[in-house]
Amino acid sequence: LVDVVEGRLRARLGSEGPGVAEGSFDQTEGIRDRIRTLAPNVVRPVAVFGEEQETELEQEQELEEESQSARPSAARPAKPRLSKGLEQFAATGQLKGDEDFFPLQRALGDTSFAGDLQDWGKDVLVSADFVRTVADRGFKDAFLRKPIWTLVKKGASQGGRAAWVEFDSQKIAEGAEQTAASSGVCLLVSNFEAEALAELFVAARDKHSESKVKLDLVATQVRPNQSQLVSSSLELPQALHVFSGSFYGDAAQLRAWCSFAGLSPTPSAPSPAWDALSAQGRVARDFFAPPEHRSAVARADPDFGVGARCPFAKSPVAMLLKLYAARFAAQDLKFTPVGEILDGA
């Protein structure tokens, strides 16, 4: 050890050139004497260093082999195909009941958080091809399809809002045909289906035939001051904005988002009535208002209840956090208006 330290010190001093003071070499001798006093017989064979390095390399190789064996194989994409009844609905705007269309929560049925799923209401449907992404079994959190295209049949207006269909498969199965004449239909479709529908609509236009439905983009607001892609005349159901991850919007849009989720965040202005409800547990710690207390919460919080109806019987916060974690990076959500609400919850 003494020789190693001396050799390194003299090499360092020698590299500094001839101008190094003689006192520096004297200091080297002093350091050598001090080490000899503290550890006079410490021997470190070079072979030991080689053995340790070899052991470390072997351990690293074993860890790499374990991680490679634990890594799942590459997913096999599902073969895209048009969902049953899609072309007929696009052409006629009618729902017969035998289509491969499902409620919105069906799109999350094969995720790791399927146990947290609830009924998302009847405003938005998904096609079978939208749900089908990979052919492999197991959790599909990493393969959730992003909502991009929606096939829309706008219904008659109710209170300034489009009336959306109450899709009741039981009634349809009994033979009660739904034409969506007075109610709208919002159907999420895959990119493959959207491309096929675009060709169908172009052919109809060439024949001067007016389509009863419209293929439109989903305007997911994931950035501040993002331009609205969807026509201003088209009001999509709030369920679609919550599902797709619209984290931004004006005050009215955020109130509608919270109303659909059943959340009543702490009012910005002092509200003794809301504080009392919170203290009584009628507003949960995550701001969720259970169905039996929503009337009282709406009276204490004027912003609550504005916008879409809440379909959830229990708090959707845990489900939404898992959904957004699967679809977005954490930093994309944390500092957004919606992220602050969920983080506060």
Side-chain angles (χ1 to χ4, degrees):
L1 180 61
V2 174
D3 295 337
V4 171
V5 172
E6 181 182 18
R8 291 189 176 183
L9 286 174
R10 288 188 177 278
R12 177 65 182 274
L13 292 173
S15 65
E16 295 182 358
V20 180
E22 291 293 330
S24 298
F25 291 99
D26 295 337
Q27 291 179 1
T28 301
E29 294 295 333
I31 293 173
R32 177 177 178 173
D33 294 340
R34 178 61 175 168
I35 294 174
R36 185 180 291 108
T37 302
L38 297 175
N41 297 314
V42 175
V43 178
R44 186 70 166 174
V46 176
V48 175
F49 289 105
E51 293 174 1
E52 289 183 352
Q53 186 177 16
E54 185 177 352
T55 302
E56 291 177 358
L57 291 175
E58 291 176 354
Q59 292 175 346
E60 290 178 0
Q61 185 176 1
E62 291 176 358
L63 291 174
E64 178 65 20
E65 291 176 355
E66 290 177 1
S67 63
Q68 289 292 343
S69 61
R71 181 176 300 172
S73 58
R76 296 178 295 113
K79 184 178 180 179
R81 58 178 181 268
L82 292 180
S83 301
K84 180 182 177 182
L86 182 65
E87 291 178 304
Q88 177 185 348
F89 171 64
T92 66
Q94 295 180 348
L95 293 176
K96 297 292 186 179
D98 59 349
E99 298 90 354
D100 282 344
F101 304 159
F102 309 101
L104 183 57
Q105 62 269 18
R106 180 69 172 269
L108 307 176
D110 292 330
T111 62
S112 61
F113 50 94
D116 296 323
L117 293 185
Q118 301 184 61
D119 185 356
W120 279 69
K122 311 300 182 181
D123 289 344
V124 181
L125 306 176
V126 292
S127 70
D129 200 59
F130 180 88
V131 176
R132 187 173 47 245
T133 55
V134 293
D136 303 88
R137 295 183 177 181
F139 295 141
K140 298 180 173 62
D141 299 34
F143 305 104
L144 292 176
R145 194 184 300 277
K146 180 181 178 181
I148 298 179
W149 296 103
T150 179
L151 190 61
V152 177
K153 164 70 178 183
K154 191 175 181 182
S157 177
Q158 292 183 355
R161 299 180 62 254
W164 299 99
V165 69
E166 290 294 331
F167 184 77
D168 190 334
S169 58
Q170 181 65 32
K171 287 178 61 180
I172 297 177
E174 293 172 356
E177 179 180 304
Q178 287 184 312
T179 63
S182 60
S183 295
V185 178
C186 182
L187 174 68
L188 286 174
V189 297
S190 66
N191 290 355
F192 175 80
E193 291 175 320
E195 184 176 356
L197 290 172
E199 296 178 359
L200 177 66
F201 291 150
V202 169
R205 185 187 63 186
D206 293 340
K207 295 179 181 179
H208 304 286
S209 174
E210 183 179 354
S211 176
K212 297 182 179 181
V213 297
K214 181 180 181 182
L215 182 66
D216 219 327
L217 284 168
V218 177
T220 303
Q221 294 183 273
V222 295
R223 296 290 183 269
N225 304 318
Q226 178 178 321
S227 61
Q228 188 66 260
L229 298 178
V230 174
S231 170
S232 60
S233 64
L234 178 64
E235 183 179 337
L236 295 178
Q238 191 61 35
L240 184 53
H241 293 289
V242 176
F243 176 79
S244 62
S246 287
F247 299 148
Y248 291 89
D250 58 26
Q253 290 171 320
L254 292 176
R255 286 196 299 268
W257 193 100
C258 289
S259 295
F260 178 84
L263 304 182
S264 177
T266 306
S268 55
S271 175
W274 187 92
D275 293 341
L277 291 175
S278 178
Q280 296 167 9
R282 298 188 182 186
V283 178
R285 295 182 64 182
D286 62 1
F287 305 138
F288 180 71
E292 63 271 20
H293 300 313
R294 285 173 188 163
S295 296
V297 174
R299 290 192 295 270
D301 181 7
D303 292 339
F304 184 77
V306 177
R309 299 156 297 179
C310 175
F312 303 123
K314 60 181 182 179
S315 175
V317 170
M319 173 185 63
L320 292 176
L321 287 173
K322 293 174 183 177
L323 168 61
Y324 295 154
R327 185 170 284 160
F328 301 97
Q331 62 269 22
D332 289 340
L333 171 66
K334 185 173 183 181
F335 300 107
T336 67
V338 168
E340 291 177 357
I341 294 171
L342 295 177
D343 187 57

